[in-house]
């Protein structure tokens, strides 16, 4: 995981993919909340990232950033927005230095001073040489993320690359592990770490003696790039929850016309932002499988429980820790409020009853199987040869509505009456879309 924040690049990529290049430079900059100059600078930065990530590919396979995102997005099987998680959100000197360190430790354990000498010998002339403090900070970072490990023994400490997984497994075992990581990283939540593991295994397989026999067995097309991007915030917030720390962040509601604002250090160019500064005790992170969205739930001193879409969160900073008793109380209060939430709704509780019809001329009752699998704590109260009645108590009907609607003519809402009327009106509206012209 990269060491520096890249909130602007995250928002930039999200909008670029969602609009498929339909905006002009001016429209894009206005919608994002930055200047055209900042837009051009961000494009250049992202192009540099792509060139760094794909620098080892032959010329005919290299990827131009604008074409990749604007035109080839729907033809690509790779989650291309993942490249921000690879080494180039670091500064140029950090990227080169970390690469040197990892290469040096690949063959034998080395001390910090030996690594410092190696950096001083091999760093390019146009990049600054590291001092001992900087290098020890790099080693600490690499050890924390599990890339290297410190050998047993006293000072001076020796560090080595932590690649036992690759070294101890046979080629066939690596193939099996790659297939497993490939499937899981594309189908489970969260996914970023799985993608990184998959890429590492793929690189090891293609560099082995049996390279010609390796083929990728599956191809996936991922449709929720925001989920991948928001995992940058997920791990930060998960750590804050574990440590019971307050967090502050700038939040852009989905209803606002902007999703980011540049940090202006010159007072002459300061301007009001559409985002709102928030101070929150994070308690829970929830993922919505249906729409591919992350939500942050927490507690504030002024409004109690609050909910935020993760895609609108930028500039996260950790604050002081609260007591274990206070955190437990806030957690209990939140769980009570969302106990009957289909997802995160905290509205008025209602009992929803719906009739599901068995599929005709089918060997398996896939409708009932799906209801039992996805219906959470709801239960079947009546059943005959034609249909069955499903009943559930939920906070409001907003979140359960898309699920019920996804069954089409196999589902009929019975109660509450206002919800039934609402569904009838929606289906009438949908019907007008299919009237002859």
């Amino acid at each position: 995981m990269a060491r520096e924040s890249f909130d602007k690049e995250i928002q930039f990529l999200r909008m670029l993919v969602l609009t498929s290049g339909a905006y002009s430079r001016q429209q894009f900059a206005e919608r994002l909340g930055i200047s055209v100059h900042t837009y051009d600078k961000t494009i250049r930065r992202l192009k540099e990232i792509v060139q760094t990530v794909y620098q080892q590919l032959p010329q005919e396979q290299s990827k131009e950033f604008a074409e990749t995102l604007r035109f080839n997005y729907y033809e690509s099987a790779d989650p291309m927005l993942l490249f921000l998680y690879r080494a180039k959100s670091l500064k140029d000197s950090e990227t080169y230095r970390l690469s040197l360190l990892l290469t040096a430790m690949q063959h034998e354990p080395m001390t910090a001073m030996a690594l410092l000498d190696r950096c001083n010998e091999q760093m390019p002339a146009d990049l600054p040489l590291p001092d001992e403090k900087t290098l020890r900070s790099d080693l600490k970072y690499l050890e924390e993320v599990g890339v290297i490990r410190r050998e047993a023994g006293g000072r001076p400490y020796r560090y080595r690359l932590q690649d036992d997984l690759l070294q101890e497994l046979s080629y066939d075992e690596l193939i099996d592990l790659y297939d497993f990581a490939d499937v899981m990283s594309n189908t489970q939540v969260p996914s970023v770490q799985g993608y990184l593991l998959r890429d590492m295994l793929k690189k090891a397989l293609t560099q082995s003696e049996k390279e010609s026999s390796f083929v990728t067995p599956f191809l996936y097309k991922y449709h929720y790039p925001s989920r991948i991007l928001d995992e940058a915030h997920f791990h930060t917030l998960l750590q804050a929850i574990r440590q019971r720390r307050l967090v502050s962040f700038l939040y852009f509601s989905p209803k606002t016309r902007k999703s980011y604002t540049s940090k202006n250090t010159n007072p002459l160019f300061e301007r009001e932002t559409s985002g709102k500064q928030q101070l929150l005790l994070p308690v829970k992170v929830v993922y919505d499988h249906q729409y591919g969205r992350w939500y942050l739930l927490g507690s504030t001193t002024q409004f109690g429980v609050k909910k935020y879409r993760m895609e609108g969160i930028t500039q996260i900073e950790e604050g002081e820790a609260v007591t274990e008793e206070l955190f437990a109380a806030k957690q209990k209060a939140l769980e009570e409020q969302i106990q009957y939430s289909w997802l995160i709704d905290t509205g008025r509780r209602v009992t929803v009853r719906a009739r599901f019809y068995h599929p005709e001329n089918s060997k398996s009752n896939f409708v009932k199987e799906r209801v039992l699998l996805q219906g959470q704590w709801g239960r079947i109260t009546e059943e005959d040869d034609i249909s069955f009645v499903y009943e559930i108590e939920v906070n409001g009907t907003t979140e359960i509505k898309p699920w019920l609607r996804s069954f089409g003519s196999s589902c009929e809402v019975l109660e509450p009456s206002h919800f039934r009327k609402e569904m009838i009106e929606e289906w009438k509206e949908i019907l007008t879309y299919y009237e002859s012209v």
Side-chain angles (χ1 to χ4, degrees):
M1 183 64 68
R3 301 173 70 182
E4 295 182 356
S5 171
F6 41 88
D7 286 338
K8 179 172 57 182
E9 288 82 358
I10 286 177
Q11 300 294 347
F12 189 97
L13 286 172
R14 177 181 285 113
M15 190 174 301
L16 195 57
V17 170
L18 293 177
T19 60
S20 299
Y23 283 1
S24 67
R25 289 164 66 244
Q26 186 67 41
Q27 290 172 321
F28 199 103
E30 289 178 358
R31 184 68 179 84
L32 194 57
I34 60 178
S35 65
V36 175
H37 172 72
T38 305
Y39 169 90
D40 293 337
K41 190 166 64 174
T42 308
I43 278 282
R44 286 196 299 271
R45 173 170 165 77
L46 291 171
K47 282 184 178 180
E48 290 173 1
I49 297 173
V50 173
Q51 289 167 4
T52 300
V53 171
Y54 296 108
Q55 63 184 350
Q56 297 179 343
L57 293 178
Q59 183 64 34
E60 63 272 12
Q61 294 182 28
S62 63
K63 299 189 177 184
E64 176 64 25
F65 174 73
E67 290 184 359
T68 299
L69 282 177
R70 292 171 186 252
F71 304 115
N72 297 338
Y73 172 69
Y74 294 104
E75 300 173 8
S76 169
D78 290 328
M80 74 179 76
L81 302 185
L82 184 67
F83 71 75
L84 269 183
Y85 286 84
R86 301 187 176 113
K88 195 51 178 152
S89 65
L90 303 173
K91 298 175 183 176
D92 289 344
S93 59
E94 290 176 323
T95 305
Y96 204 95
R97 191 171 65 245
L98 292 180
S99 299
L100 277 178
L101 294 176
L102 295 176
T103 302
M105 289 181 281
Q106 188 170 4
H107 303 294
E108 60 178 341
M110 298 186 68
T111 64
M113 297 312 296
L115 290 167
L116 182 61
D117 292 339
R118 183 71 62 90
C119 286
N120 290 334
E121 292 171 2
Q122 300 184 11
M123 284 288 282
D126 58 336
L127 295 178
L129 296 176
D131 55 22
E132 184 181 348
K133 181 179 179 182
T134 301
L135 188 128
R136 291 191 184 277
S137 175
D138 290 339
L139 291 174
K140 182 180 179 182
Y141 165 68
L142 292 172
E143 190 176 5
E144 285 176 351
V145 296
V147 177
I148 65 173
R149 75 180 185 196
R150 190 166 59 185
E151 295 277 74
R155 296 177 181 275
Y157 295 124
R158 298 163 66 85
Y159 299 87
R160 65 179 292 267
L161 201 65
Q162 188 159 299
D163 59 351
D164 297 345
L165 178 68
L166 301 179
Q167 300 297 330
E168 295 177 2
L169 295 181
S170 67
Y171 181 83
D172 291 337
E173 288 173 332
L174 281 175
I175 286 281
D176 291 340
L177 182 57
Y178 173 83
D179 290 346
F180 176 78
D182 192 30
V183 172
M184 298 299 285
S185 63
N186 281 284
T187 58
Q188 300 299 308
V189 181
S191 61
V192 167
Q193 305 304 325
Y195 280 124
L196 297 179
L197 173 62
R198 181 199 64 172
D199 291 352
M200 179 190 71
L201 293 169
K202 186 174 183 179
K203 190 174 294 184
L205 287 166
T206 53
Q207 292 175 352
S208 69
E209 298 176 357
K210 301 179 180 180
E211 176 185 352
S212 58
S213 64
F214 173 72
V215 292
T216 302
F218 309 108
L219 287 178
Y220 296 91
K221 178 59 196 168
Y222 197 73
H223 295 284
Y224 293 125
S226 291
R227 179 186 116 178
I228 298 173
L229 293 174
D230 290 336
E231 284 190 44
H233 297 326
F234 170 77
H235 295 286
T236 302
L237 293 170
L238 188 61
Q239 178 178 333
I241 292 173
R242 286 171 174 167
Q243 297 177 355
R244 307 187 307 277
R245 289 187 176 277
L246 294 167
V247 294
S248 63
F249 52 85
L250 192 63
Y251 183 67
F252 294 84
S253 166
K255 296 179 182 179
T256 62
R257 293 291 300 166
K258 290 181 173 61
S259 59
Y260 183 80
T261 185
S262 56
K263 298 180 185 178
N264 297 300
T265 55
N266 189 331
L268 295 176
F269 294 94
E270 284 186 356
R271 55 183 173 178
E272 291 186 4
T273 69
S274 57
K276 293 184 178 180
Q277 195 67 36
Q278 305 288 332
L279 181 64
L280 180 81
L281 176 63
V283 178
K284 195 179 188 73
V285 175
V286 176
Y287 179 69
D288 180 1
H289 289 262
Q290 187 150 3
Y291 292 105
R293 295 173 183 159
W294 292 93
Y295 292 91
L296 170 64
L297 282 66
S299 178
T300 63
T301 54
Q302 187 176 1
F303 301 105
V305 172
K306 289 207 70 175
K307 297 164 281 187
Y308 300 91
R309 284 255 291 270
M310 198 92 83
E311 65 199 64
I313 295 176
T314 64
Q315 302 173 30
I316 300 178
E317 294 182 4
E318 289 189 11
E320 60 183 18
V322 302
T323 64
E324 192 172 341
E325 292 78 12
L326 177 60
F327 184 83
K330 298 295 184 182
Q331 190 176 43
K332 182 180 178 182
L334 174 65
E335 294 296 342
E336 288 176 353
Q337 287 201 39
I338 65 172
Q339 181 181 357
Y340 291 94
S341 302
W342 183 258
L343 186 67
I344 59 169
D345 197 344
T346 53
R348 185 172 60 88
R349 198 181 307 169
V350 295
T351 300
V352 174
R353 296 180 72 245
R355 182 179 298 279
F356 289 88
Y357 294 91
H358 300 308
E360 296 181 4
N361 304 321
S362 176
K363 293 181 180 180
S364 63
N365 192 341
F366 55 85
V367 173
K368 185 177 179 180
E369 289 174 0
R370 184 182 164 198
V371 170
L372 292 175
L373 178 66
Q374 302 175 349
Q376 304 203 48
W377 58 90
R379 58 193 181 92
I380 296 175
T381 57
E382 304 173 23
E383 185 171 13
D384 55 33
D385 296 337
I386 301 175
S387 64
F388 62 90
V389 176
Y390 163 83
E391 185 176 301
I392 188 172
E393 196 173 1
V394 289
N395 291 345
T397 58
T398 303
E399 293 177 342
I400 197 175
K401 184 197 294 185
W403 182 72
L404 294 171
R405 195 168 49 200
S406 69
F407 285 90
S409 59
S410 295
C411 174
E412 176 191 1
V413 173
L414 304 176
E415 294 178 7
S417 58
H418 68 85
F419 186 35
R420 178 181 173 85
K421 292 176 183 177
E422 190 177 317
M423 294 290 283
I424 291 173
E425 292 303 317
E426 286 193 7
W427 283 116
K428 284 182 178 179
E429 182 181 350
I430 293 173
L431 179 62
T432 61
Y433 299 158
Y434 293 91
E435 290 180 351
S436 60
V437 179

